[in-house]
Amino acid sequence: MDFENLSERKDLVKILFCCGLIEEKISQAYESIASRIDDEVVRVLLEYIAEDSLKHSKILQGVSKYLGVDEVDIEECGELLGITAIRIIEDSKKSMMGIEKISLKELASEFDDLVNLEKYFGEEYFNLIQIKLLGTLIEHEGIEIGFLKDILEYIVEDERRHEKILNAIKTYALQG
């Protein structure tokens, strides 16, 4: 992702909004998988991640709206965020399309992708966004936006927890 070409404030806020859209799709995917899993413990843990992701979506989109961007279409998100964002959205849609029950063994084969997704959002993605967004907003608006930095840090921490939960579920699934 090339943030060097995104110096304009509006593009950075759009990126934040797009992250909210992606988190919403991820939440829907986890919820869909949770509703079809045949293990109660795993279902509850996936629902926990889904609810956190939905919370992230609402926060990111809410902050974006506060900063003046209240809508970005998926195509523009792809232009701003690159092919990875489009893949995440497409993969989330595929996860939601299934209607049959999922066994732990079937789910275990998908876990590496889910863990990689959480790593991507938790570390690389949000840290880069946080640095670029905060610097640009402070420079252009001359405001103290510590609350936004704190919120993004909380989301990063949640994503790290999601990664740990998914790894624990994978271990559990492979043992079962």
Side-chain angles (χ1 to χ4, degrees):
M1 204 174 316
D2 183 12
F3 284 98
E4 299 307 315
N5 296 327
L6 296 172
S7 59
E8 299 223 8
R9 175 194 183 277
K10 190 162 187 154
D11 283 345
L12 289 168
V13 178
K14 284 181 179 181
I15 287 172
L16 200 61
F17 188 90
C18 290
C19 290
L21 286 179
I22 291 171
E23 283 280 355
E24 182 179 348
K25 298 296 182 192
I26 291 169
S27 172
Q28 292 168 353
Y30 280 124
E31 190 62 44
S32 174
I33 294 168
S35 71
R36 295 179 285 131
I37 193 71
D38 65 357
D39 185 281
E40 185 68 19
V41 172
V42 173
R43 182 187 61 75
V44 169
L45 293 172
L46 291 174
E47 287 173 346
Y48 172 84
I49 295 172
E51 289 173 13
D52 264 2
S53 296
L54 184 59
K55 173 185 70 177
H56 299 165
S57 172
K58 289 178 180 181
I59 290 169
L60 293 167
Q61 289 181 24
V63 169
S64 299
K65 289 175 184 178
Y66 169 77
L67 295 171
V69 173
D70 60 1
E71 192 61 46
V72 182
D73 63 45
I74 295 295
E75 290 77 25
E76 188 174 6
C77 287
E79 292 170 16
L80 291 168
L81 299 174
I83 190 69
T84 303
I86 300 303
R87 283 191 189 136
I88 291 169
I89 292 168
E90 289 171 355
D91 289 348
S92 296
K93 286 180 184 176
K94 287 178 193 172
S95 296
M96 292 184 292
M97 289 172 43
I99 54 173
E100 69 281 346
K101 288 289 184 188
I102 302 170
S103 71
L104 276 179
K105 287 186 180 191
E106 292 167 327
L107 187 61
S109 67
E110 303 293 323
F111 263 78
D112 289 336
D113 291 337
L114 294 174
V115 169
N116 288 336
L117 180 65
E118 296 297 337
K119 278 183 184 176
Y120 178 72
F121 265 89
E123 295 186 23
E124 298 171 27
Y125 202 70
F126 280 119
N127 287 335
L128 284 173
I129 289 169
Q130 179 174 296
I131 291 165
K132 292 293 185 177
L133 181 66
L134 292 175
T136 299
L137 291 177
I138 289 168
E139 179 182 319
H140 283 102
E141 299 185 20
I143 59 174
E144 173 57 47
I145 50 174
F147 72 96
L148 180 55
K149 182 179 185 297
D150 290 344
I151 289 169
L152 291 174
E153 286 175 2
Y154 297 150
I155 292 173
V156 170
E157 290 171 18
D158 285 345
E159 299 297 340
R160 288 183 187 135
R161 274 190 288 279
H162 296 173
E163 182 185 339
K164 288 178 184 177
I165 291 168
L166 290 171
N167 280 320
I169 292 171
K170 181 179 180 182
T171 301
Y172 171 76
L174 292 173
Q175 293 173 352

